[in-house]
Amino acid sequence: KYYNTPTKLMNILGTTKSVITNKHNLYANLHARFPSVCDKYMARTWNVKKFDTKLFNRTDGKTNVFIVRPVGIGAFSGAGVEVVSSAKELAAARRKLESKFPTIIISEYITRPMLWEGKKFHLRTYLLAKIIDGRLTTYFYDFYEIFTAEKPYIAGNWRDMDIHDTHLKSVGKYVAGPMDFDAPTKKLFNEKIWPAMADCMKYVSRLLEGHAKPYPNAKNAFEVLGCDFMVTEDYDVKLLEVNERTGLSMADFPERRD
């Protein structure tokens, strides 16, 4: 009923936003249109069916640890995610996931992440996309949240997902950047990390051109999407995914008076 009621403005975009909200499509489309940008801002990714398991044994200095992620309905909030470092572990992950999800991807794992209080973390950022009178515009907010893993980071302990799985539910104290950072951290994020994320999202936004549309019953539409980034120990940023399920709720946030 909601999707059939004529309206001038709807707070959700049509399903064609999947050019970026589907993890497989995001990497494939960014790599096809902006290959150098994709190489800079995303970890190399394959459909698991096309992955060469010889990469587990490579000696070129690149990682031989990979992260397996399902794509499709139900593939959110860390569901089905596994870190693997051998063909045997990958085969086990595939057996577990292929009966539940239509697509599975595998990406190079970031084994040397920047840490927050000794824990792995990712940054949840927000992109507003709107279609008004047929024209797409986007806005990338200069606000982001830190979602940590539950346990301190230990390189080499790849099978303990409490070390590697980063979510809001694992955060002890809610932290939002840059307002909650000390002066040196704020300077680092303002001058290096956030500008790199903004540059990445400039190109991701261009992938929506010609694709992002309202539902047929709506003349105009907008949506806030959640964009997840990791930061390496060298302060390079890597886009993980763009989520239509942001989980954004004021109930999650402490009252702020600053």
Side-chain angles (χ1 to χ4, degrees):
K1 187 175 181 180
Y2 174 73
Y3 295 101
N4 293 323
T5 303
T7 180
K8 291 183 178 180
L9 181 65
M10 183 178 272
N11 65 337
I12 186 172
L13 298 175
T15 58
T16 49
K17 65 192 171 197
S18 63
V19 292
I20 65 170
T21 59
N22 176 292
K23 292 186 282 285
H24 179 268
N25 292 348
L26 172 62
Y27 181 84
N29 291 328
L30 192 63
H31 190 268
R33 285 198 60 188
F34 309 110
S36 62
V37 173
C38 187
D39 290 344
K40 182 177 181 179
Y41 291 127
M42 293 194 76
R44 193 177 178 194
T45 298
W46 302 259
N47 184 304
V48 74
K49 293 179 180 179
K50 299 181 179 180
F51 179 73
D52 185 354
T53 56
K54 292 179 181 178
L55 292 175
F56 286 116
N57 302 314
R58 63 186 180 184
T59 58
D60 57 1
K62 297 181 180 180
T63 183
N64 55 9
V65 181
F66 299 84
I67 185 167
V68 179
R69 296 178 292 164
V71 179
I73 297 174
F76 60 91
S77 296
V81 173
E82 295 201 30
V83 179
V84 297
S85 57
S86 70
K88 181 179 179 180
E89 291 175 351
L90 175 58
R94 290 185 64 176
R95 286 194 297 271
K96 187 185 302 183
L97 296 174
E98 286 181 334
S99 62
K100 300 178 182 178
F101 298 97
T103 305
I104 303 167
I105 59 174
I106 182 168
S107 306
E108 292 179 336
Y109 192 59
I110 300 169
T111 58
R112 295 164 54 194
M114 180 181 180
L115 303 180
W116 186 268
E117 296 181 346
K119 297 178 179 180
K120 178 187 168 186
F121 71 93
H122 78 261
L123 298 168
R124 166 56 61 86
T125 66
Y126 295 96
L127 177 75
L128 170 65
K130 60 181 180 177
I131 302 287
I132 305 296
D133 295 327
R135 179 171 177 263
L136 170 71
T137 56
T138 61
Y139 180 78
F140 186 57
Y141 291 91
D142 57 351
F143 157 86
Y144 36 88
E145 301 158 294
I146 288 188
F147 294 173
T148 69
E150 186 172 335
K151 295 180 180 178
Y153 184 73
I154 302 174
N157 194 349
W158 309 122
R159 303 300 292 169
D160 187 343
M161 292 311 295
D162 287 338
I163 292 175
H164 304 285
D165 197 7
T166 55
H167 284 285
L168 177 61
K169 64 185 179 182
S170 305
V171 177
K173 178 184 177 182
Y174 175 77
V175 178
M179 61 283 291
D180 289 337
F181 297 165
D182 59 27
T185 304
K186 184 178 293 187
K187 179 179 173 65
L188 171 64
F189 274 76
N190 286 347
E191 295 183 0
K192 184 172 177 63
I193 294 172
W194 187 85
M197 294 192 297
D199 183 56
C200 174
M201 293 311 300
K202 176 178 65 177
Y203 292 95
V204 172
S205 295
R206 290 176 63 182
L207 298 179
L208 287 171
E209 295 172 354
H211 294 281
K213 300 176 182 179
Y215 277 94
N217 62 305
K219 180 180 178 181
N220 306 298
F222 72 94
E223 188 166 352
V224 176
L225 303 172
C227 313
D228 294 342
F229 284 88
M230 278 193 65
V231 184
T232 72
E233 66 177 10
D234 297 322
Y235 309 130
D236 294 325
V237 303
K238 297 293 181 181
L239 176 63
L240 304 178
E241 59 185 339
V242 177
N243 301 276
E244 55 185 308
R245 294 172 177 263
T246 64
L248 187 61
S249 169
M250 293 310 298
D252 294 329
F253 308 148
E255 183 178 357
R256 305 184 65 88
R257 300 184 184 274
D258 52 348

